[in-house]
Amino acid sequence: MFVIMSANASAREVAEVLRVASEECGGTHRVSLAARDGHMVISIVTTGTSFDYGKIGNCRGVEAVEDGESPYRLAGSVESEPRGMFPRKRGVEIPFAGVTIGGNEFVVLAGPCAVENLEDLLETARSVKQAGAKLLRGGAFKPRTSPYSFQGTGDDGLEMLRVVRETTGIGVITEAMEPATIERVSEVADIIQIGSRNMQNFPLLREAGRQSTPVLLKRGMSATLEEWFSAAEYILAEGNPDVILCERGIRTFSRHSRHTLDISVIAAIRERSELPVIIDPSHATGSSSMVPSMSKASVAAGADGLLIETHPDPDRALVDGFQTLPLGVFDALMVELDRVALAVGRRLF
Ligand code: PEP
Ligand code: MN
């Protein structure tokens, strides 16, 4: 809901509205303030439905109360709502990795598409950590288009991630595909990844919302921003506040790349949400030659991080080798990314 204060409302009157809102919601609400046409507008977001609008409407200094409860009230604002309702950016802390995604630091998550074997995973982790990546990516459970393709190393892969995390001290992000395995994933991972194909797997989203581990929610390849916010809402409404959005390319008529990287969505998210957003240039382009330029563009456009596929020998990678950077190319890219990050007031190291 939006409370529009009269143009000459005092600070005390605003404080009284905030007090009544807190009393009504029992603390389970979020408030933000913005100025609109000379009026203070108080946005009050609740997950409950039994809010007594009358009590707020009767407060001194209140000109109008608008019912703006959107279908994704925690994830972002609907387009018709006043801009700047979510001016604050809420970073997601990853304690083991010692970083906050969505803070001043630009965070890179890198590793193979799939967890294949311990030796390659260890080599990759050491190398990307040395280059400045804060988390190792790698799917143990792989969502594959064909049931005959390699489906991942499953629980063995999770165990390899656990060993590598403990040995090298790098954080880990890995995908959960089913509600039944999400707890096992969450025991190992610092971030649970929900893949593009599962963006609207509602039982999975709900289960992710019950975990205490942060969740990276990839955009469905044909999803609008509104559908993406609504998917994030399932996780947030279940009680997990730590959601990171990840743009990974959408389906368009273009044939020159695997998907079309929607860079403009970074700006749209920034206007309408406080959730951090990172970019996956590997799946978006499907071509290792396009990954460096799209990575740099993402930093410049205000993304909070990158999810990049890299492997000691992409030619023998079991999945997505064609879009995977060799470790040396990844190292060089990190140096360039740092320069772009500094130019836009962020830092990589
Ligand atoms: C992945 O990152 O491993 C992956 C499968 O990506 P997406 O869900 O974006 O296709
Ligand atoms: Mn992949």
Side-chain angles (χ1 to χ4, degrees):
M1 91 169 6
F2 297 105
V3 183
I4 324 290
M5 302 301 291
S6 58
N8 55 2
S10 68
R12 183 175 295 200
E13 286 164 347
V14 171
E16 176 60 8
V17 170
L18 299 181
R19 192 194 64 74
V20 173
S22 176
E23 204 173 81
E24 279 297 298
C25 304
T28 59
H29 69 307
R30 295 214 326 261
V31 168
S32 59
L33 304 176
R36 184 172 48 160
D37 302 330
H39 293 253
M40 174 69 79
V41 178
I42 306 172
S43 155
I44 302 168
V45 178
T46 66
T47 46
T49 46
S50 58
F51 195 101
D52 185 351
Y53 293 88
K55 273 199 185 156
I56 296 231
N58 289 337
C59 288
R60 285 171 71 94
V62 171
E63 190 168 291
V65 177
E66 288 175 7
D67 182 1
E69 293 284 352
S70 92
Y72 38 85
R73 58 198 72 169
L74 300 174
S77 58
V78 293
E79 211 169 8
S80 59
E81 286 173 359
R83 294 291 153 133
M85 281 293 119
F86 290 89
R88 230 169 5 96
K89 244 167 86 177
R90 190 184 54 212
V92 172
E93 281 178 40
I94 315 292
F96 186 79
V99 281
T100 298
I101 299 181
N104 196 40
E105 194 170 349
F106 186 85
V107 182
V108 178
L109 305 77
C113 181
V115 174
E116 298 174 357
N117 59 70
L118 191 57
E119 198 186 354
D120 282 339
L121 197 65
L122 206 49
E123 181 182 347
T124 306
R126 289 196 169 119
S127 178
V128 299
K129 186 171 187 234
Q130 174 76 23
K134 293 293 157 57
L135 285 101
L136 175 72
R137 64 144 290 148
F141 301 101
K142 291 303 304 174
R144 304 306 305 281
T145 302
S146 166
Y148 306 120
S149 303
F150 171 64
Q151 303 287 310
T153 43
D155 284 306
D156 290 345
L158 277 188
E159 179 57 17
M160 290 184 229
L161 286 167
R162 192 186 61 75
V163 170
V164 169
R165 180 177 182 268
E166 276 171 21
T167 312
T168 64
I170 195 168
V172 157
I173 170 167
T174 193
E175 180 159 352
M177 283 171 51
E178 300 170 52
T181 49
I182 205 163
E183 259 180 49
R184 299 214 294 280
V185 168
S186 135
E187 274 164 24
V188 172
D190 297 284
I191 304 177
I192 302 166
Q193 177 171 323
I194 295 198
S196 187
R197 291 157 190 80
N198 272 320
M199 189 204 83
Q200 286 185 316
N201 179 338
F202 302 118
L204 184 65
L205 297 175
R206 281 215 167 93
E207 201 52 50
R210 293 184 198 118
Q211 309 300 312
S212 52
T213 308
V215 177
L216 178 128
L217 179 65
K218 287 196 149 194
R219 180 181 184 179
M221 61 185 83
S222 330
T224 63
L225 179 54
E226 289 70 26
E227 289 163 340
W228 196 8
F229 278 156
S230 295
E233 191 79 11
Y234 271 86
I235 303 168
L236 297 164
E238 211 57 53
N240 187 342
D242 293 327
V243 176
I244 303 152
L245 300 174
C246 176
E247 156 69 23
R248 45 78 71 209
I250 50 172
R251 277 264 161 86
T252 69
F253 53 81
S254 281
R255 307 285 299 271
H256 62 270
S257 58
R258 186 175 177 183
H259 295 94
T260 296
L261 176 57
D262 182 8
I263 287 265
S264 72
V265 86
I266 299 170
I269 291 169
R270 271 296 64 83
E271 286 187 2
R272 293 173 54 183
S273 174
E274 61 179 17
L275 300 176
V277 56
I278 75 165
I279 299 293
D280 174 349
S282 308
H283 291 90
T285 62
S287 165
S288 56
S289 66
M290 295 184 189
V291 169
S293 55
M294 291 303 97
S295 298
K296 286 181 266 182
S298 303
V299 187
D304 296 302
L306 286 163
L307 182 68
I308 298 180
E309 286 182 337
T310 179
H311 189 283
D313 181 3
D315 287 343
R316 67 173 167 78
L318 295 179
V319 192
D320 285 351
F322 45 86
Q323 65 191 35
T324 298
L325 298 182
L327 295 174
V329 175
F330 176 78
D331 289 353
L333 174 60
M334 289 293 276
V335 175
E336 285 191 74
L337 286 176
D338 188 42
R339 289 200 210 113
V340 183
L342 288 174
V344 294
R346 309 288 286 269
R347 64 191 164 76
L348 214 71
F349 306 115

